[in-house]
Amino acid sequence: SAMNTKANSAGVEGASGMKSKTLGESDGPGEVKRGQVILVAYLITALELTFVFMQLGVMPYLAKSLGLDSVGFGYLQTTFGVLQLVGGPIFGRFADQFGTRAALILSCASASAFFLLTSISTSIPLLFLSRLPAVFMHGLPGAQKVITDLTTPSQRADALGKLGLCFGVGIIIGSALGGVLSTKFGIFVPIYVGLVGSLINTMIAMAWIPLQAKPKSDHHATEQSTSQSGSVFSIREILRLMKFPGVMEVFIIKVFAGLPIGLFMIMFSIISMDFFGLEAVESGYLMSYFGVLQMVVQGLIIGKLTKHCTERTLLRLSVFVFGVVGLGMALMRTVWHYCIIAVPLVFAFSMLATITDSILTKAVPSSDTGTMLGICASVQPLTRTVGPTIGGVLYKEFGVPSFGYLQLIVNVGLFVYLLKSKVPLDETKS
């Protein structure tokens, strides 16, 4: 626990020494400049996610036009997932060693390469090759790293929660724009827009993200940590973070609490067709509804709750709500039932992601926050990698209610564990 306290105090100390030291200004302008940098990080994330969702909408049609069947398309999705899974922790280590600015530029430049290769994909091998730059496309953890470096531990959960707004914007605008552009102007147009947009994003990162976002007073933590030694690809360095008090437990909760619903979301396009009987356009509306819900929950609700409740309480609450959502999913029969269940579902999903990221970045020295965020970012690609296989078996053998029962059983177990657990969390109000 001493190590945990040290990490926390390093974070507080670092953030308080930030205004004058990081930006070389007096307190007032420093605060404004800090706010501007965080807003730029939000903008970069919103744009990158918008372009990613634009191409996600047209990818099935592009794959089909090149002669790729549904199994082949599954392999293409899995390739993307595996690359993101492998790249997450490496990207985090890169951010810790070379700075957040370099990491964000790497992410935006990788997105540019991704769209460039996709735009010239005239065969199946080229389409698979175009997935390669996805290994370093991590705008979200890059922005989380900016926020972690520029906020005090007490502000962090609220600031990280607002990133969900960017995700909502990405889903709504990206899905709609991808559909409109590809229908009116052709299948490659959203990909050209993504390419130009990603190049602009790279320039924004170069112009607006400061070279040194992390406070100088944090450097003593850097010396205590061995993060700076060893290669960016060092597995030992990544595993070392799991030994900090409470890190492994919170990370396991993060992975398992959301796994059943992650499996359901991966199978959602098939479920919405077969189980709910929706057309493609109606599925698009449902995704937009999800996006709006996420924006409301992350923009208005999570920030307020983090100011009034401890992180331990909010972690228990998100797991409990997940359990209730599981029961609802096991009993649902129509798309309208699902629209009602979506409200607590989005709340639990967003709260779990925000609170676990906040707890985990506070539990390690500030010189390791990038690596920790990279590890956190690999949870979703992990679900995307194993999801199609497990989700497919569950759906085929046991039907849609099986996702709900699995969600209920897993989260009731985790909730009981959390009630008894003495995980060393920061007990101050987040």
Side-chain angles (χ1 to χ4, degrees):
S1 183
M3 213 180 290
N4 203 19
T5 315
K6 199 185 289 175
N8 288 344
S9 62
V12 176
E13 198 180 310
S16 58
M18 166 103 31
K19 294 172 193 166
S20 52
K21 288 185 179 176
T22 307
L23 303 157
E25 298 184 29
S26 64
D27 278 17
E31 193 70 52
V32 172
K33 183 79 181 285
R34 236 185 343 152
Q36 279 178 356
V37 174
I38 289 173
L39 282 175
V40 170
Y42 287 150
L43 174 68
I44 289 171
T45 310
L47 288 172
E48 186 166 311
L49 288 167
T50 300
F51 304 141
V52 167
F53 279 106
M54 264 168 58
Q55 67 86 33
L56 276 179
V58 300
M59 201 43 64
Y61 303 100
L62 176 59
K64 198 174 178 183
S65 72
L66 295 175
L68 202 62
D69 61 6
S70 58
V71 177
F73 185 65
Y75 289 143
L76 187 71
Q77 298 292 76
T78 303
T79 304
F80 187 84
V82 169
L83 286 166
Q84 289 245 294
L85 175 63
V86 171
I90 296 170
F91 179 84
R93 291 265 302 145
F94 180 89
D96 282 334
Q97 292 200 348
F98 300 101
T100 316
R101 182 172 183 260
L104 270 177
I105 291 168
L106 174 67
S107 176
C108 297
S110 299
S112 305
F114 173 84
F115 284 109
L116 178 65
L117 289 170
T118 308
S119 71
I120 57 168
S121 294
T122 48
S123 66
I124 292 171
L126 275 173
L127 191 62
F128 273 88
L129 186 70
S130 73
R131 307 294 96 177
L132 271 178
V135 75
F136 292 126
M137 278 169 62
H138 292 283
L140 197 57
Q144 286 174 324
K145 173 84 172 124
V146 172
I147 289 161
T148 303
D149 285 350
L150 294 180
T151 54
T152 60
S154 60
Q155 301 167 324
R156 191 169 299 164
D158 184 24
L160 286 173
K162 287 194 170 65
L163 267 176
L165 283 168
C166 305
F167 204 85
V169 167
I171 289 179
I172 295 164
I173 299 178
S175 305
L177 207 56
V180 170
L181 290 174
S182 60
T183 309
K184 289 200 169 182
F185 306 106
I187 206 161
F188 278 104
V189 172
I191 293 158
Y192 297 142
V193 171
L195 171 58
V196 174
S198 297
L199 289 169
I200 292 169
N201 233 0
T202 311
M203 288 186 251
I204 293 172
M206 290 168 88
W208 286 91
I209 301 294
L211 201 55
Q212 156 98 352
K214 190 174 283 189
K216 293 199 170 55
S217 58
D218 262 11
H219 283 193
H220 64 85
T222 304
E223 283 148 25
Q224 289 165 2
S225 138
T226 56
S227 161
Q228 309 301 305
S229 63
S231 143
V232 170
F233 299 92
S234 167
I235 301 291
R236 188 171 54 85
E237 283 303 311
I238 291 163
L239 293 176
R240 177 180 61 82
L241 296 187
M242 289 296 169
K243 293 177 184 158
F244 282 92
V247 168
M248 183 64 90
E249 283 176 273
V250 174
F251 186 72
I252 287 171
I253 290 161
K254 183 182 182 71
V255 171
F256 284 100
L259 183 64
I261 204 73
L263 300 178
F264 175 82
M265 293 312 290
I266 282 163
M267 300 304 295
F268 188 70
S269 54
I270 294 168
I271 290 168
S272 61
M273 257 191 315
D274 296 353
F275 188 75
F276 295 135
L278 300 182
E279 298 292 322
V281 177
E282 293 166 325
S283 286
Y285 290 146
L286 203 54
M287 286 305 286
S288 296
Y289 168 65
F290 247 86
V292 171
L293 275 182
Q294 182 147 19
M295 287 175 73
V296 171
V297 167
Q298 301 235 212
L300 303 175
I301 299 168
I302 288 182
K304 285 189 171 63
L305 282 175
T306 56
K307 288 185 175 76
H308 296 102
C309 308
T310 64
E311 291 183 334
R312 189 189 294 273
T313 305
L314 294 176
L315 186 60
R316 285 174 179 164
L317 176 66
S318 60
V319 170
F320 177 76
V321 173
F322 256 144
V324 174
V325 166
L327 183 62
M329 281 175 63
L331 301 174
M332 77 175 170
R333 293 292 173 266
T334 69
V335 72
W336 297 111
H337 292 162
Y338 182 62
C339 287
I340 296 164
I341 293 164
V343 178
L345 164 59
V346 169
F347 169 80
F349 209 85
S350 304
M351 180 62 82
L352 181 80
T354 303
I355 290 301
T356 50
D357 284 355
S358 178
I359 293 168
L360 289 168
T361 54
K362 291 178 196 175
V364 298
S366 59
S367 55
D368 288 312
T369 51
T371 310
M372 193 71 248
L373 286 166
I375 295 168
C376 291
S378 63
V379 173
Q380 222 175 358
L382 176 67
T383 311
R384 275 207 299 268
T385 305
V386 300
T389 312
I390 302 172
V393 171
L394 274 177
Y395 181 56
K396 199 172 171 186
E397 299 296 325
F398 308 104
V400 171
S402 63
F403 294 99
Y405 287 122
L406 183 64
Q407 179 79 9
L408 176 64
I409 293 161
V410 169
N411 282 281
V412 165
L414 289 174
F415 184 68
V416 171
Y417 173 77
L418 273 173
L419 287 178
K420 295 180 175 179
S421 160
K422 296 284 181 281
V423 181
L425 301 182
D426 179 18
E427 272 305 326
T428 57
K429 286 178 185 177
S430 88

